[in-house]
Amino acid sequence: MQVIVPAMKLTCKQVLTEAKAPDLESVRKLNCWGCKLTDISILSQMPNIEVLTLSVNSISDLSPLAGCSSLCELYLRSNMIPSLSELHYLRSMTRLRVLWLADNPCCGTDSSRYRLNVLHFLPGLQKLDNQVVTEEEIALAHMVGEEIRTPTKAAQTQVSVSTNGLPDADKENNSLSHNVEDTNNIRQEPGMKQPSSDKIPSLNSQSTRSSMKRTHTLEAVLLLLRDLDPDELRVVDTETQNRLRTYTLDSMETLRDSQTQKTADIAQ
């Protein structure tokens, strides 16, 4: 027999009593651990909240959090969040540094893959599931982390503000420019270094994007090498030597062709 869990809605009275605040906009911290909540729609009226604890509830919809742009710490452990697509509602939280999402259906069975996907989507996090986020993890997440799909309900509301009438290349450049701006805004927070403006190349250049991709690929390869045992490293070494020989032979052939062409031009 299927057990139906009754809906438990977080009310204004509960919030003001717990937070000891005069009104919803004054709430900065709220702890609703283990309250059997399923409906947190009231949070859409709390734009200034900074620390929010919702662990051990039955929450599945994070859309009410979309306007909580001041959040720095968010605890959602042991809920009913079905998909990582719900993280799209956290995208505007440029101050978010701590997220606890473990023990939700969206985490799946591959913990390392789940972690990289979350960090790929929210690179400003400094702690995820009570574990400190390292620079190496962020670099690897940038390379191998998978894009998180937009929830259907969110995609429908974003149609009117989508980029229309632009060629695909312009859309890509527009998106990349916003990514750089978002990253800089994140790095302005205390404890994070902002890169010098003269070191940020123009993203409108195809060669620049290609160079950036090669750099990140190299970083990812070097990180992965740390996890290999001696036998696996020997396989990598053999493959590397073979690749180097191929490049050397190709370079020599190109050089001979160039010299042959120069000789032919002189003879003419």
Side-chain angles (χ1 to χ4, degrees):
M1 182 178 65
Q2 183 179 6
V3 178
I4 299 177
V5 180
M8 293 292 291
K9 185 174 183 178
L10 182 62
T11 66
C12 178
K13 181 179 179 179
Q14 284 178 287
V15 170
L16 298 183
T17 300
E18 174 64 31
K20 297 179 175 58
D23 53 64
L24 293 177
E25 292 190 357
S26 300
V27 176
R28 297 293 185 274
K29 295 183 180 181
L30 180 64
N31 187 342
C32 294
W33 189 96
C35 294
K36 301 180 180 179
L37 297 174
T38 58
D39 186 338
I40 55 172
S41 55
I42 189 69
L43 293 173
S44 63
Q45 303 176 46
M46 300 163 59
N48 300 313
I49 191 166
E50 298 175 355
V51 180
L52 178 59
T53 300
L54 295 171
S55 296
V56 193
N57 283 287
S58 298
I59 298 165
S60 59
D61 179 13
L62 299 184
S63 60
L65 299 178
C68 301
S69 57
S70 296
L71 265 177
C72 301
E73 299 181 22
L74 177 59
Y75 301 91
L76 293 166
R77 181 177 63 84
S78 295
N79 273 280
M80 298 299 294
I81 301 170
S83 168
L84 289 180
S85 63
E86 291 293 318
L87 295 184
H88 273 271
Y89 298 114
L90 313 186
R91 198 67 182 270
S92 64
M93 301 176 187
T94 57
R95 298 179 60 191
L96 188 64
R97 296 292 174 266
V98 177
L99 175 64
W100 200 331
L101 193 61
D103 301 323
N104 274 278
C106 64
C107 299
T109 57
D110 189 340
S111 59
S112 59
R113 172 59 60 182
Y114 143 77
R115 187 174 175 87
L116 289 175
N117 289 344
V118 173
L119 294 178
H120 177 78
F121 192 74
L122 299 172
L125 292 178
Q126 296 178 352
K127 183 179 287 189
L128 174 60
D129 295 340
N130 207 33
Q131 294 183 18
V132 174
V133 175
T134 66
E135 293 182 0
E136 290 78 9
E137 280 186 304
I138 293 296
L140 187 57
H142 181 84
M143 277 303 305
V144 303
E146 299 174 0
E147 291 295 330
I148 295 175
R149 295 181 179 179
T150 304
T152 302
K153 54 184 180 293
Q156 292 174 347
T157 62
Q158 292 174 358
V159 172
S160 60
V161 295
S162 62
T163 305
N164 295 319
L166 291 176
D168 290 342
D170 290 342
K171 291 179 182 179
E172 179 183 1
N173 292 336
N174 187 51
S175 175
L176 287 169
S177 298
H178 282 296
N179 286 340
V180 170
E181 182 178 355
D182 292 343
T183 301
N184 287 342
N185 289 336
I186 289 173
R187 289 179 178 273
Q188 288 176 355
E189 297 294 328
M192 300 191 75
K193 296 181 180 179
Q194 183 174 358
S196 173
S197 59
D198 60 356
K199 293 183 178 180
I200 301 178
S202 171
L203 291 174
N204 292 325
S205 167
Q206 182 65 37
S207 60
T208 297
R209 291 196 294 270
S210 177
S211 177
M212 291 171 63
K213 182 178 180 180
R214 288 196 300 272
T215 299
H216 290 307
T217 300
L218 178 59
E219 292 174 351
V221 169
L222 293 177
L223 286 171
L224 292 172
L225 285 177
R226 300 177 183 178
D227 297 328
L228 300 183
D229 60 31
D231 290 337
E232 293 169 334
L233 285 172
R234 292 188 186 94
V235 173
V236 173
D237 179 61
T238 300
E239 180 62 23
T240 301
Q241 295 299 326
N242 290 337
R243 295 277 290 176
L244 283 173
R245 280 194 291 271
T246 300
Y247 279 124
T248 301
L249 292 174
D250 289 344
S251 297
M252 293 176 62
E253 184 175 347
T254 301
L255 180 60
R256 285 197 300 269
D257 291 343
S258 176
Q259 291 175 340
T260 301
Q261 184 62 44
K262 286 181 179 180
T263 301
D265 292 340
I266 294 173
Q268 292 178 356

